[in-house]
Amino acid sequence: MIDLYSVPTTNGQRVHIMLEEAGLSYTPHIVDLPGGKHLDPEFLAKNPFGRVPAIIDRDGPNGAEVTLFEGHAILYYLAEKSGRFYPDDLAVRAEIHTWMSAVSANIGPAFSALFWFRNLAPEKSQMTLDRYVAEAHRGLRALDTHLEGRDYVAGDAYSIADIHAYPVAATSINSLDGGIDDYPALKRWRDSIAERDAVKLGMALFVD
Ligand SMILES: N[C@@H](CCC(=O)N[C@@H](CS)C(=O)NCC(=O)O)C(=O)O
């Protein structure tokens, strides 16, 4: 059994989708971020950075408990545990690694910074907002160009690279003027991934 600690944002959604896709049984726990529960010692023991998502696999390797955080690390773990969505082919794995890293290192942080400066910063700075809007578009442009003429982010089958990138195209992008309409390849790919039952279930988790 896996305990999932999360919220229904982009960072959580990719793990929710993966758990549904892999058919692993799990117990979801919503973490009260506005109430500061992610900074309690009890949660910091799961992720010392005080961020969701995190999981505890009570039946980890060799029967031991394992605790993980960072969405992409959780996806790799669940893929290896389930043997799903992570092909053995080294060339495909290289492409998966590249795009998982690119989304984590470039696109995710651009949207996180944009959210903070737009919604939480005590002082507003147009220059800062412009910078992170531009960075978000830079990442989306790269993903859109990569998806031209392709059905999947890596190789020729659905993989954890699609699961990792999907919430960016389904959720984060809606915070930009114009949304996904400026990105035709990304839109086509998002619409096809959205049809999957596990994706629908994962995206609905914690949503009333
Ligand atoms: N790099 C992390 C980012 C996780 C993250 O920023 N989670 C947000 C919620 S969407 C959070 O916990 N924010 C609380 C905080 O930063 O204090 C991942 O990909 O899992």
Side-chain angles (χ1 to χ4, degrees), residues 16-25 78-79 81-85 163 198:
H16 309 172
I17 292 170
M18 182 61 186
L19 285 162
E20 293 292 340
E21 288 281 15
L24 294 163
S25 68
L78 296 177
K81 181 182 173 82
S82 65
R84 309 283 313 277
F85 312 115
I163 296 172

Side-chain angles (χ1 to χ4, degrees), residues 27-97:
T27 306
H29 309 272
I30 196 156
V31 178
D32 176 11
L33 297 187
K37 292 293 180 201
H38 56 305
L39 302 176
D40 282 357
E42 193 189 344
F43 187 78
L44 291 173
K46 300 175 183 78
N47 178 357
F49 292 86
R51 292 200 162 103
V52 292
I55 65 165
I56 302 178
D57 184 358
R58 310 278 173 197
D59 184 24
N62 307 313
E65 193 171 284
V66 61
T67 302
L68 286 104
F69 51 89
E70 288 296 326
H72 63 290
I74 297 172
L75 261 52
Y76 283 121
Y77 175 76
L78 296 177
E80 296 203 296
K81 181 182 173 82
S82 65
R84 309 283 313 277
F85 312 115
Y86 191 42
D88 287 336
D89 185 288
L90 186 55
V92 177
R93 285 201 171 189
E95 203 168 30
I96 289 175
H97 298 166

Side-chain angles (χ1 to χ4, degrees), residues 6 9 19 45 58 89 97 106 118 132 146 155 188 203:
S6 192
T9 62
L19 285 162
R58 310 278 173 197
D89 185 288
H97 298 166
N106 298 308
R118 193 182 264 164
Y132 287 108
H146 176 68
R188 175 189 43 76
M203 293 299 284

Side-chain angles (χ1 to χ4, degrees), residues 114-174:
L114 180 59
F115 178 84
W116 192 86
F117 282 109
R118 193 182 264 164
N119 301 299
L120 305 175
E123 288 171 24
K124 301 298 169 205
S125 155
Q126 194 57 46
M127 183 184 69
T128 307
L129 291 179
D130 291 348
R131 156 92 184 151
Y132 287 108
V133 166
E135 282 297 296
H137 280 297
R138 182 181 181 180
L140 293 170
R141 247 189 333 269
L143 191 54
D144 186 61
T145 304
H146 176 68
L147 284 167
E148 278 169 14
R150 313 178 57 113
D151 290 333
Y152 301 104
V153 171
D156 57 6
Y158 182 68
S159 75
I160 49 173
D162 296 287
I163 296 172
H164 192 57
Y166 176 78
V168 166
T171 301
S172 308
I173 203 166
N174 298 325

